Amino acid sequence: MANTNEPKKDAYALAGVDIDAGNALVEAIKPLAKATSRSGADASLGGFGALFDLKATGYKDPILVSATDGVGTKLRIAIESGKHDTIGIDLVAMCVNDLVVAGAEPLFFLDYFASAKLEIDTARAVVRGIAEGCKQAGCALVGGETAEMPSMYEGKDYDLAGFSVGAVERENILPRTDLAEGDIVLGLASNGVHSNGFSLVRKIVADEALSLSAEAPFDPSRTVAEALLEPTRIYVKPLLAAIRTGKVKAMAHITGGGLLENIPRVLPQGFGVWLSTQSWPVPAIFKWLAQKSQISGQEMARTFNCGIGMVVIVAAQDADEITGLLSDAGEKVFRIGEVEKNLSENRVSLQGMDANWPC
């Protein structure tokens, strides 16, 4: 006869899911979420849904703006190097930078973390980065979801998704409708590759037989992993200050598709831009990627940000003021081109690009 005094095993644990670990993680990250609290949200965790009081933010005629994204195969660098503390900043950046180009202030953020087996230390490091990103953006981390799915993921693999909601007064929605020929295109410097093009980056690293712990050939002061995991720059607070001047006409977040495909997304029909490729310094990492991949400068500009993570379009008479405001806020700003009438299919013209650009 079976011994009925033996402790029964948890059915979910037998399937590879640890409920206690999930509960422990929620307790561990509560202080991180609380530190991101802002008007409209108390950033408490544990309920079925997060409440946000839009009236408390002071908007009069608000339009809600939403965004969702991930960080792509940059995650593989974090997983393989065991460096998880900045990837959460990337997750926030990819969402909130998309909100601010609509003129919106990010209000709150939620995350989704899925893994084969929940490793509390890893998840806490990721969420610490998410909380840091939220603080940089001025939005509240109000909740999220953690999923253990051993049949979907293997080993130490995990995946991330982020979701953010912001608000903008109806009359301040960007892009504006008054873009005109001769408007100035300002470029804000990126931190590096940000979170796009990593399938190609990882292929080049593999082809070069580079260890993630090796000295980066394009930055001897850091390892390959450290350089590649430099987090996506969050431009929100400086850009909101610029928007409040009423002199910003349009902005474009330079993500997948690079300079060539993102800028046209905010231009009216019949307009394009010309960019001077000699007007900003191209970071060494992009020169290295171009050399090793042997792809054309045109293709580099369609794949990577090439050193420009955000574009701001203003009238010519306002360019110096907005440049000064953004520079004072810590951004590196370059005057990289102008708006022009353009009826062609290629609405971004790269000027001054010789056969070796960006090398």
Side-chain angles (χ1 to χ4, degrees):
M1 183 176 178
N3 183 357
T4 56
N5 293 323
E6 288 184 1
K8 293 183 179 179
K9 293 183 178 179
D10 182 271
Y12 229 170
L14 288 172
V17 178
D18 190 341
I19 296 175
D20 291 335
N23 292 336
L25 177 62
V26 170
E27 292 304 312
I29 64 178
K30 277 184 177 180
L32 300 175
K34 188 172 180 59
T36 69
S37 183
R38 54 152 295 153
S39 60
D42 61 10
S44 60
L45 301 181
F48 287 99
L51 304 180
F52 191 92
D53 182 2
L54 189 57
K55 186 177 180 180
T57 63
Y59 284 92
K60 295 178 180 133
D61 186 17
I63 296 294
L64 293 180
V65 184
S66 60
T68 182
D69 212 334
V71 294
T73 58
K74 188 173 186 175
L75 270 179
R76 286 249 57 95
I77 308 290
I79 292 167
E80 291 170 12
S81 67
K83 188 178 185 306
H84 309 285
D85 57 331
T86 61
I87 202 72
I89 299 175
D90 289 287
L91 185 68
V92 176
M94 296 304 289
C95 295
V96 298
N97 284 342
D98 279 358
L99 293 182
V100 77
V101 299
E105 173 193 10
L107 300 175
F108 58 87
F109 188 87
L110 300 99
D111 67 276
Y112 174 78
F113 181 100
S115 62
K117 177 176 175 54
L118 183 58
E119 299 285 348
I120 294 178
D121 288 345
T122 297
R124 180 166 45 198
V126 171
V127 177
R128 188 181 299 117
I130 292 172
E132 172 59 27
C134 286
K135 284 191 281 187
Q136 290 182 25
C139 65
L141 176 58
V142 297
E145 176 69 11
T146 303
E148 264 189 309
M149 298 188 288
S151 60
M152 293 290 291
Y153 301 94
E154 294 183 358
K156 296 183 180 294
D157 285 358
Y158 63 87
D159 199 7
L160 291 174
F163 314 87
S164 191
V165 172
V168 56
E169 296 287 7
R170 188 183 304 269
E171 62 185 18
N172 296 331
I173 295 172
L174 296 179
R176 285 170 22 185
T177 58
D178 61 341
L179 267 75
E181 189 172 20
D183 284 345
I184 300 300
V185 181
L186 302 176
L188 277 61
S190 68
N191 272 349
V193 184
H194 283 184
S195 298
N196 299 103
F198 268 86
S199 293
L200 177 56
V201 172
R202 289 174 50 246
K203 180 181 186 305
I204 294 169
V205 169
D207 289 347
E208 293 296 306
L210 275 176
S211 165
L212 292 177
S213 60
E215 179 184 286
F218 47 85
D219 184 355
S221 68
R222 297 193 287 181
T223 66
V224 173
E226 289 169 344
L228 294 181
L229 288 173
E230 181 70 31
T232 305
R233 190 162 183 81
I234 293 176
Y235 300 98
V236 170
K237 290 182 179 179
L239 288 180
L240 286 175
I243 291 167
R244 289 175 186 130
T245 67
K247 296 177 179 179
V248 172
K249 291 190 174 187
M251 297 186 293
H253 183 200
I254 309 305
T255 57
L259 293 160
L260 300 189
E261 295 188 4
N262 284 292
I263 298 175
R265 295 167 66 180
V266 299
L267 299 176
Q269 286 299 318
F271 287 88
V273 299
W274 62 260
L275 304 179
S276 169
T277 58
Q278 306 303 313
S279 61
W280 76 90
V282 177
I285 186 170
F286 295 110
K287 296 179 181 181
W288 181 79
L289 290 169
Q291 289 170 349
K292 297 303 178 182
S293 66
Q294 296 187 324
I295 64 176
S296 68
Q298 195 83 7
E299 195 64 20
M300 283 290 295
R302 198 165 71 95
T303 305
F304 299 110
N305 66 62
C306 294
I308 298 295
M310 184 71 71
V311 158
V312 179
I313 300 176
V314 298
Q317 65 268 24
D318 298 324
D320 288 344
E321 178 185 346
I322 298 303
T323 296
L325 187 155
L326 292 171
S327 298
D328 289 345
E331 299 298 332
K332 294 179 182 176
V333 187
F334 309 96
R335 189 178 292 213
I336 63 173
E338 290 186 14
V339 174
E340 62 179 356
K341 289 184 179 178
N342 187 327
L343 298 175
S344 70
E345 185 176 331
N346 300 318
R347 298 172 71 194
V348 178
S349 170
L350 298 176
Q351 298 185 3
M353 184 174 68
D354 59 30
N356 294 319
W357 191 88
C359 299

